Amino acid sequence: MALEAILLDFDGTIVDTTELIYQSMRHATRKVLGREISREVLMANVGQPLPRQMELLDPEKAHQLLRSYSLFNEEHHDALIRELPGVEASLARLHQAGLNLAVVTSKRLPSVLMTLGSLSVLRNVVDVFVTMEDTAEHKPHPAPLLKGLELLGNVPPEKAAYIGDAPFDVAAARAAGVVSVAVSWGAFTEEALRAASADHLFPNLDSAVDYLLALNG
Ligand SMILES: [Mg+2]
């Protein structure tokens, strides 16, 4: 099978925002709901749009949760995000192999741009971004992935793979008809990704890229 395009999730897949997300969630729920919620519960819906995650935590206070999260997130963004090792080189290898790359994320564009501003390495290799504003439906719905394929020049789904760190990414890939590749260095464990039945599971992006390039011969 010759692949033409690789779609990539953002948080937890090509940038290490897991701690920033967790601490923002913990801050917002402590402040707005006045109680401690386990890390597992706070992180269970990461990968879906933030407004949706907040509705799932407390439908009546979702707006306040979102506001509190966003304020904390902006203030602590630069201190808490980290590069993931080897990402720039991995993306460059895909690019050099002639594969078209697009980031497909549930995040808002300003938030993606804020992170790219801190980690400038990524801007050189990926130029197509599908963010929350671009589709009405969100992962696990296939719409954002299909939008990415359209922007890359109508790549057929069977000639594409989606790399992500969340069970929602695996589900969205399946719904879109693209190969699902899960990496376990983000917000979810290997067990959770295995339970989601990813087509392929790797500890990091570099080993996922090794596999995809070998597949492409
Ligand atoms: Mg993610």
Side-chain angles (χ1 to χ4, degrees):
M1 171 186 46
L3 295 171
E4 291 178 12
I6 306 295
L7 306 174
L8 300 135
D9 171 51
F10 192 67
D11 292 300
T13 299
I14 59 171
V15 290
D16 184 1
T17 46
T18 306
E19 193 57 28
L20 174 65
I21 292 171
Y22 168 60
Q23 290 205 26
S24 303
M25 275 289 187
R26 192 176 58 170
H27 170 84
T29 49
R30 272 179 177 170
K31 192 159 179 189
V32 175
L33 305 179
R35 60 193 165 96
E36 290 292 328
I37 298 176
S38 73
R39 182 173 179 126
E40 202 186 359
V41 170
L42 289 179
M43 300 299 279
N45 293 299
V46 167
Q48 297 203 73
L50 263 180
R52 174 71 186 143
Q53 291 185 55
M54 298 317 186
E55 272 168 28
L56 291 167
L57 283 167
D58 190 318
E60 277 164 24
K61 292 186 173 159
H63 186 74
Q64 285 163 266
L65 283 168
L66 187 59
R67 192 175 150 69
S68 177
Y69 177 104
S70 301
L71 288 172
F72 183 95
N73 193 278
E74 260 175 56
E75 190 181 338
H76 298 274
H77 176 273
D78 292 356
L80 291 176
I81 58 162
R82 300 274 179 273
E83 282 184 39
L84 283 165
V87 165
E88 187 186 12
S90 296
L91 296 181
R93 285 166 67 208
L94 291 171
H95 192 66
Q96 280 153 18
L99 288 156
N100 295 304
L101 307 181
V103 164
V104 177
T105 174
S106 305
K107 213 169 188 165
R108 287 193 167 92
L109 183 61
S111 195
V112 171
L113 293 176
M114 180 163 66
T115 300
L116 290 176
S118 307
L119 305 175
S120 57
V121 292
L122 299 174
R123 275 177 304 186
N124 306 323
V125 254
V126 182
D127 45 17
V128 173
F129 289 86
V130 177
T131 58
M132 198 181 115
E133 299 89 335
D134 292 312
T135 55
E137 303 280 359
H138 304 285
K139 298 184 284 186
H141 194 280
L145 278 67
L146 297 174
K147 182 75 183 171
L149 295 177
E150 181 195 321
L151 292 174
L152 291 176
N154 294 313
V155 175
E158 63 274 16
K159 293 196 174 293
Y162 186 48
I163 310 178
D165 72 316
F168 302 108
D169 299 330
V170 175
R174 189 180 301 122
V178 308
V179 176
S180 64
V181 179
V183 286
S184 60
W185 68 3
F188 292 87
T189 62
E190 213 178 291
E191 292 69 35
L193 294 167
R194 191 164 288 126
S197 302
D199 292 329
H200 307 285
L201 175 59
F202 299 98
N204 53 51
L205 188 63
D206 198 41
S207 43
V209 167
D210 283 344
Y211 173 80
L212 290 170
L213 291 180
L215 195 69
N216 245 23

